[in-house]
Amino acid sequence: MGKLINGWFSETSPLWPGWALSLEIEETLYSRKSKYQEIDVYRTKSCGTMLVLDGVIQATEFDESGYQEMLTHIPIFAHSNPERVLVIGGGDGGILREAAKHSSVKEIDICEIDEDVINVSKKFLPSMACGFSDPRVSVHIMDGSEFIKNRQQYYDVIIVDSSDPVGPAETLFKHSFYEGMKTALRPGGMIATQAESIFFHKDIVKSLINIAKTLFPVYGYAVTLVPTYPGGNIGICIGSLGNDVKTPSRQPDKTMKEKLKYYSPEIHRAAFVLPAFGKDLFN
Amino acid sequence: MGKLINGWFSETSPLWPGWALSLEIEETLYSRKSKYQEIDVYRTKSCGTMLVLDGVIQATEFDESGYQEMLTHIPIFAHSNPERVLVIGGGDGGILREAAKHSSVKEIDICEIDEDVINVSKKFLPSMACGFSDPRVSVHIMDGSEFIKNRQQYYDVIIVDSSDPVGPAETLFKHSFYEGMKTALRPGGMIATQAESIFFHKDIVKSLINIAKTLFPVYGYAVTLVPTYPGGNIGICIGSLGNDVKTPSRQPDKTMKEKLKYYSPEIHRAAFVLPAFGKDLFN
């Protein structure tokens, strides 16, 4: 396991040159190359168990809630009556876990290209992979951009929980993929996609907002705090065929509220307020 | 300059064990111990010039606006008619630069314990230290907690731009210092203090909120994004003898708006909306 230096894992990427977050590792739990990517799981000193794909942090137990809850509940609570949800990517199961908290939801499909990510998460990250055990969940192992070609006007909410646009997730950042998702939505449907950082990836963010703007009558870009992501935050790009995306149309009930670590109706609205420089991203 | 490893600076601290942000360095511009602390200035590859005190990142040109603008403009815009401002710490000059954007402000005092920080910033960080050149600014080289003992009912806004509570800034996190600031405020006055991270320093944050709650009829805690700070965000604790702190009572005019990179009246309000787990900090 030569990836650690003096017991520390360091995340570097051409997407954030000259910048590295390092975490002290207590134990390497898994390290193997799948058909698509390198998968590593570490027990960190400060952030619990951590999943890493191709050297990039995907989730840690410490701060995954800011990502999984916001990416899931913003579109699902913005929708008036979500029944069918599709998750593309999301092999760790965290988005499934959150979607399953909604009693109106009857079917949850997940389309993950890399079966090994699912199996590794089930073994080492049960607090996220518990999402797979919900009886409403059906697993499809294939490329998400191919999967949606066979679904027309079917889903109420599609959530894209992808890695960065380098490697297997590259097609998930393209206009044609967004068109496919739009076709796969029922009237009033919504999409929500992992949409990088307004500090580091202005060009990617602008391009995603522009795609959403072209295809959807209602769209928006929200920011959520995830300390282990580059710069400690990440964006969510939303497109809607119906309701406003910035305002929840329903509220979590008391039972659900107690389970939420990050999401609230108030932070749903606040997440769409960007720093002043963010207005340039919409031009 | 043995602090760099293979050309990278790494920030570690007992305040965030097992965690390090590393930045690639193009050149060490300054590295010397002052009477109080080690001062380093680097030209980084990704974040422009960076000021480091005792090994901890204080400001980089890339992302200082999220800190300086929010710490300054939240209290000053919440106040109805701010005329006298005191900055404690803030030797890089960034808070002075922001305070000077307010035309109602007639006097700006700064009390910085370490004169070397000011001199180094004037030399290497002119985009922040330009704040010192405003004719309304008076510089006082001394301990902030001593300085305020000689000022009673004088300031409209006091801003504490301190380093972490380890080293020279330790007294600035204590109840007696907050009491001193309260005494130094005119009726309707406000204080705003650097207040660490809700992810890493829950105990410090709770203690600061509790002090503010005990001393001030109106108080609040806001979060702002600063990618180079631990976890990419930092908190601001506010106490007010008058107006609500969460709502700006005045708006930036057109000239000022054009100069703002981060602050807006909308993000002023949104910054006070914390993740769901944040409600525990107020108990």
Side-chain angles (χ1 to χ4, degrees):
Chain A
M1 318 275 175
K3 294 169 198 167
L4 306 184
I5 299 174
N6 295 328
W8 288 69
F9 163 84
S10 287
E11 180 193 65
T12 56
S13 164
L15 283 171
W16 44 90
W19 179 286
L21 177 68
S22 303
L23 296 175
E24 195 173 355
I25 300 303
E26 291 184 336
E27 190 181 354
T28 301
L29 300 172
Y30 182 92
S31 183
R32 208 166 298 169
K33 208 169 161 7
S34 75
K35 194 171 153 193
Y36 298 97
Q37 55 204 338
E38 276 185 57
I39 304 174
D40 298 291
V41 182
Y42 299 103
R43 196 171 65 242
T44 69
K45 188 169 175 178
S46 57
C47 298
T49 304
M50 168 168 76
L51 174 68
V52 175
L53 298 180
D54 280 343
V56 174
I57 297 171
Q58 301 299 310
T60 84
E61 290 177 322
F62 169 62
D63 62 358
E64 50 99 5
S65 64
Y67 178 74
Q68 323 263 24
E69 290 188 14
M70 294 293 269
L71 184 55
T72 310
H73 300 309
I74 288 180
I76 298 191
F77 274 123
H79 197 286
S80 309
N81 182 34
E83 294 181 326
R84 295 176 186 160
V85 174
L86 169 63
V87 180
I88 292 174
D92 59 47
I95 302 287
L96 302 177
R97 180 194 66 202
E98 295 307 316
K101 288 178 181 165
H102 291 263
S103 55
S104 71
V105 170
K106 291 175 183 152
E107 288 179 49
I108 309 173
D109 284 335
I110 175 167
C111 180
E112 162 67 57
I113 200 168
D114 192 342
E115 193 168 12
D116 286 2
V117 173
I118 297 175
N119 293 331
V120 166
S121 300
K122 282 181 175 171
K123 185 158 181 196
F124 296 107
L125 285 161
S127 65
M128 288 174 239
C130 60
F132 285 101
S133 62
D134 191 276
R136 293 165 288 177
V137 169
S138 304
V139 180
H140 308 265
I141 304 298
M142 65 184 288
D143 182 331
S145 58
E146 290 301 314
F147 180 80
I148 49 168
K149 289 180 185 161
N150 303 316
R151 291 286 189 286
Q152 305 218 337
Q153 295 219 351
Y154 193 81
Y155 294 107
D156 298 306
V157 174
I158 301 177
I159 296 168
V160 184
D161 173 14
S162 71
S163 46
D164 296 314
V166 177
E170 207 178 330
T171 54
L172 307 184
F173 288 76
K174 297 199 165 143
H175 194 279
S176 56
F177 175 60
Y178 277 70
E179 273 180 326
M181 285 199 285
K182 184 182 175 184
T183 309
L185 287 178
R186 287 209 279 200
M190 308 233 172
I191 62 155
T193 68
Q194 186 276 92
E196 302 297 339
S197 158
I198 52 168
F199 286 92
F200 292 104
H201 311 120
K202 290 201 175 67
D203 288 348
I204 301 174
V205 173
K206 274 180 105 155
S207 138
L208 293 177
I209 291 173
N210 203 41
I211 295 172
K213 192 199 288 194
T214 310
L215 294 172
F216 291 90
V218 187
Y219 64 94
Y221 188 90
V223 169
T224 182
L225 303 181
V226 186
T228 59
Y229 286 167
N233 66 84
I234 194 158
I236 300 169
C237 186
I238 323 253
S240 165
L241 296 173
N243 285 358
D244 177 26
V245 295
K246 300 182 186 181
T247 314
S249 74
R250 298 169 303 109
Q251 305 276 322
D253 62 20
K254 198 169 165 286
T255 321
M256 184 168 171
K257 221 170 174 176
E258 281 163 13
K259 288 184 198 158
L260 294 171
K261 292 179 189 165
Y262 196 100
Y263 179 88
S264 68
E266 295 75 28
I267 209 155
H268 180 139
R269 291 184 199 92
F272 287 91
V273 181
L274 306 185
F277 71 79
K279 66 179 182 299
D280 298 341
L281 304 169
F282 291 84
N283 298 334
Chain B
M1 316 272 178
K3 293 168 196 166
L4 305 186
I5 298 174
N6 295 326
W8 288 69
F9 163 83
S10 288
E11 180 194 66
T12 56
S13 164
L15 283 171
W16 42 92
W19 178 286
L21 177 68
S22 303
L23 295 175
E24 196 172 357
I25 300 302
E26 291 184 336
E27 191 182 353
T28 301
L29 300 171
Y30 182 92
S31 183
R32 208 167 298 169
K33 208 169 161 9
S34 74
K35 193 172 154 193
Y36 298 97
Q37 55 206 335
E38 274 184 59
I39 305 175
D40 298 291
V41 182
Y42 299 102
R43 196 171 66 242
T44 69
K45 187 169 174 178
S46 56
C47 299
T49 304
M50 170 168 76
L51 174 67
V52 175
L53 298 180
D54 280 343
V56 174
I57 297 171
Q58 301 300 308
T60 83
E61 289 177 321
F62 168 62
D63 63 357
E64 50 100 2
S65 63
Y67 178 73
Q68 323 263 26
E69 290 188 14
M70 294 292 272
L71 184 55
T72 309
H73 300 310
I74 289 180
I76 297 191
F77 273 123
H79 197 287
S80 311
N81 183 33
E83 295 181 325
R84 295 175 186 161
V85 175
L86 168 64
V87 180
I88 292 174
D92 59 48
I95 302 287
L96 301 177
R97 179 194 67 202
E98 296 305 317
K101 288 179 181 165
H102 290 263
S103 55
S104 70
V105 170
K106 291 175 183 150
E107 290 179 48
I108 309 174
D109 283 336
I110 175 166
C111 180
E112 162 67 59
I113 199 168
D114 192 342
E115 193 168 11
D116 286 1
V117 173
I118 297 175
N119 294 332
V120 166
S121 301
K122 282 181 176 171
K123 185 158 182 196
F124 297 106
L125 286 160
S127 64
M128 289 175 237
C130 61
F132 285 100
S133 62
D134 192 275
R136 293 164 289 177
V137 169
S138 304
V139 180
H140 309 266
I141 305 298
M142 64 183 290
D143 182 331
S145 57
E146 291 301 313
F147 180 81
I148 50 168
K149 289 180 184 162
N150 303 315
R151 292 288 188 286
Q152 304 216 338
Q153 295 218 350
Y154 192 81
Y155 295 106
D156 298 305
V157 175
I158 301 176
I159 296 167
V160 184
D161 173 14
S162 70
S163 48
D164 297 315
V166 176
E170 206 177 330
T171 54
L172 307 185
F173 288 76
K174 298 200 164 142
H175 194 280
S176 55
F177 174 61
Y178 276 70
E179 273 181 326
M181 285 199 284
K182 184 181 174 182
T183 310
L185 287 178
R186 287 209 279 201
M190 309 232 172
I191 63 156
T193 68
Q194 186 276 93
E196 302 297 340
S197 158
I198 52 168
F199 286 93
F200 293 103
H201 311 119
K202 290 201 175 67
D203 288 349
I204 300 174
V205 173
K206 275 180 104 154
S207 137
L208 292 178
I209 290 173
N210 202 41
I211 294 171
K213 193 198 290 194
T214 310
L215 293 173
F216 291 89
V218 187
Y219 64 95
Y221 188 89
V223 169
T224 183
L225 303 181
V226 187
T228 59
Y229 286 168
N233 67 84
I234 195 159
I236 299 169
C237 186
I238 322 253
S240 165
L241 296 174
N243 286 358
D244 177 25
V245 295
K246 301 182 185 179
T247 313
S249 75
R250 297 169 303 109
Q251 307 274 323
D253 62 20
K254 197 170 165 286
T255 322
M256 184 167 170
K257 223 171 174 174
E258 281 163 12
K259 288 185 199 157
L260 294 170
K261 293 180 189 165
Y262 196 101
Y263 180 89
S264 68
E266 295 75 28
I267 210 156
H268 180 139
R269 292 183 199 94
F272 287 92
V273 180
L274 306 185
F277 70 79
K279 65 180 185 298
D280 298 341
L281 304 169
F282 291 85
N283 299 334

